[in-house]
């Protein structure tokens, strides 16, 4: 009988240790699975969803690669939960680490011959661990609830969200940026969302930047990209180009043509101007092998259409530069 209890204690110790290891790895696995849907910075609005427009009626994909610190009261994107709303559980955070350490220490002692004090001593040890874990869980939930920001109908719409803007779906409609043929193409401050007062020269420059940046990216022209983008945006573009080179492929982009564009919002902060635009454009975009030029993916003969959200930054009297790129969420059919 004592031998059976001892074997049971050993098996239980191994099972508990394995379970705590699995729980400890869940958070890291989830973090690795999260892919980046956008990159760059939109200043204080980096983690806020820009207003939808006629060009991009679907919500913009969130910026997930940014050097901008994420504030605690950030309004969530459509379909996302508010930041830091996950409640700590029994196997989360400090409690999970503590339980894992206690079990691992006990198992190590048993393997060295000290044991848990017999089978019943081990069961008592497990009971103490569970009680400690429950106490830690309640304490962490209590402090988390005190720090939790309020969201929902009672809290009201978040700043700069489409709801807070009175449901306006387009701050500054331009059916074709840069042509001067759109509604209000030469007007400034035509909608409340344009706090900068964008003129036709700004719109022409945005269209030029779309073509110049895409072409430079396809040519792997680092010097031109560095001149046309912010240092942060350049770092992410260089990272993507470096990954392509490592994989032995090259992203060829040509025949870029803007089809339609809208200004989602334009604002000033910290002495800089920001302009976020939805742009639908066509281009010949393909991935080819670097050595042979063999097509890997895409179409190297026919143009395809893409809709993206681009944010530009201008400091003082300087030139507009690309600061962030976001995709658009796919609507269900």
């Amino acid at each position: 009988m004592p031998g059976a209890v001892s074997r049971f204690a050993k098996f239980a110790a191994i099972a508990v240790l394995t379970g705590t290891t699995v729980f400890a790895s869940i958070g890291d696995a989830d973090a690795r699975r999260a892919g980046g849907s956008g990159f760059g910075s939109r200043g204080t609005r980096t983690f806020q969803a820009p207003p939808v427009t006629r060009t991009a009626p679907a919500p913009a994909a969130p910026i997930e690669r940014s050097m901008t610190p994420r504030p605690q009261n950030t309004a969530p994107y459509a379909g996302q939960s508010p930041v830091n709303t996950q409640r700590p559980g029994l196997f989360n955070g400090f409690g999970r680490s503590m339980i894992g350490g206690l079990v691992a220490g006990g198992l190590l002692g048993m393997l060295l011959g000290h044991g848990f004090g017999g089978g019943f001593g081990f069961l008592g040890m497990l009971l103490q661990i569970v009680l400690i874990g429950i106490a830690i869980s309640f304490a962490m939930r209590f402090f988390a609830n005190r720090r939790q920001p309020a969201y929902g109908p009672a809290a009201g719409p978040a700043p700069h969200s489409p709801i807070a803007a009175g449901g306006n779906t387009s701050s500054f409609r331009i059916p074709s940026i840069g042509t001067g043929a759109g509604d209000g193409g030469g007007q400034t401050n035509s909608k409340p969302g344009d706090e900068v007062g964008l003129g036709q020269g700004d719109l022409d420059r945005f269209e030029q930047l779309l073509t110049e940046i895409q072409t430079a990216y396809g040519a792997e022209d680092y010097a031109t990209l560095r001149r046309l983008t912010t240092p942060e945006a350049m770092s992410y573009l260089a990272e993507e180009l470096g990954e392509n080179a490592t994989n032995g492929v090259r992203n060829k982009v040509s025949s870029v043509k803007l089809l339609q564009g809208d200004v989602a919002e334009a604002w000033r902060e910290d002495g800089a101007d920001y302009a976020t635009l939805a742009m639908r454009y066509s281009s010949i975009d393909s991935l080819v092998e670097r050595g042979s030029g063999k097509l890997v993916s895409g179409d190297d003969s026919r143009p395809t259409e893409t809709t993206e959200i681009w944010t530009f930054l201008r400091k003082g009297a300087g030139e507009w530069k690309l600061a962030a790129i976001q995709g658009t969420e796919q609507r269900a059919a």
Side-chain angles (χ1 to χ4, degrees), residues 162-221:
I163 298 177
N168 185 16
T169 60
S170 178
S171 301
F172 191 56
R173 182 187 176 191
I174 313 158
S176 184
I177 295 179
T179 63
D183 296 341
Q187 299 178 9
T188 59
N189 280 327
S190 60
K191 297 289 180 68
D194 178 16
E195 302 172 10
V196 174
L198 299 174
Q200 189 59 44
D202 299 313
L203 307 180
D204 290 338
R205 184 55 185 156
F206 296 146
E207 181 175 6
Q208 293 170 0
L209 285 170
L210 170 69
T211 301
E212 293 174 7
I213 292 172
Q214 291 282 13
T215 303
Y217 183 86
E220 297 183 344
D221 185 349

Side-chain angles (χ1 to χ4, degrees), residues 53 80 97 123 134 157 186 199 233 243 268 277 288-289 293 317 329:
T53 71
Q80 287 188 320
S97 302
L123 295 177
I134 293 175
E243 290 178 355
R268 287 192 175 99
L277 297 91
V288 300
E289 293 182 355
E329 302 283 2

Side-chain angles (χ1 to χ4, degrees), residues 168-318:
N168 185 16
T169 60
S170 178
S171 301
F172 191 56
R173 182 187 176 191
I174 313 158
S176 184
I177 295 179
T179 63
D183 296 341
Q187 299 178 9
T188 59
N189 280 327
S190 60
K191 297 289 180 68
D194 178 16
E195 302 172 10
V196 174
L198 299 174
Q200 189 59 44
D202 299 313
L203 307 180
D204 290 338
R205 184 55 185 156
F206 296 146
E207 181 175 6
Q208 293 170 0
L209 285 170
L210 170 69
T211 301
E212 293 174 7
I213 292 172
Q214 291 282 13
T215 303
Y217 183 86
E220 297 183 344
D221 185 349
Y222 284 83
T224 299
L225 288 174
R226 193 173 295 109
R227 177 173 55 86
L228 301 178
T229 64
T230 64
E232 180 178 351
M234 177 61 196
S235 69
Y236 295 120
L237 293 175
E239 179 184 350
E240 293 177 359
L241 292 175
E243 290 178 355
N244 287 343
T246 300
N247 296 329
V249 296
R250 179 175 177 177
N251 193 179
K252 294 180 62 177
V253 183
S254 61
S255 303
V256 181
K257 180 181 179 181
L258 181 69
L259 303 177
Q260 181 176 332
D262 292 300
V263 176
E265 55 184 349
W267 71 99
R268 287 192 175 99
E269 65 176 65
D270 296 333
D273 295 337
Y274 287 85
T276 295
L277 297 91
M279 295 190 287
R280 180 170 60 88
Y281 61 92
S282 64
S283 64
I284 298 178
D285 192 343
S286 62
L287 201 65
V288 300
E289 293 182 355
R290 301 185 72 86
S292 64
K294 180 181 178 181
L295 182 66
V296 176
S297 63
D299 194 327
D300 59 358
S301 60
R302 292 182 300 178
T304 56
E305 291 189 9
T306 304
T307 300
E308 292 177 329
I309 311 298
W310 287 37
T311 296
F312 299 94
L313 167 67
R314 178 177 62 187
K315 293 185 177 180

Side-chain angles (χ1 to χ4, degrees), residues 1-16 107 110-111 115-123 126:
M1 182 66 181
V5 173
S6 178
R7 286 195 299 272
F8 169 77
K10 291 181 180 180
F11 287 133
I14 294 173
V16 172
L107 180 61
M110 182 178 65
L111 295 178
F116 282 105
F120 294 102
F122 174 75
L123 295 177
L126 283 182

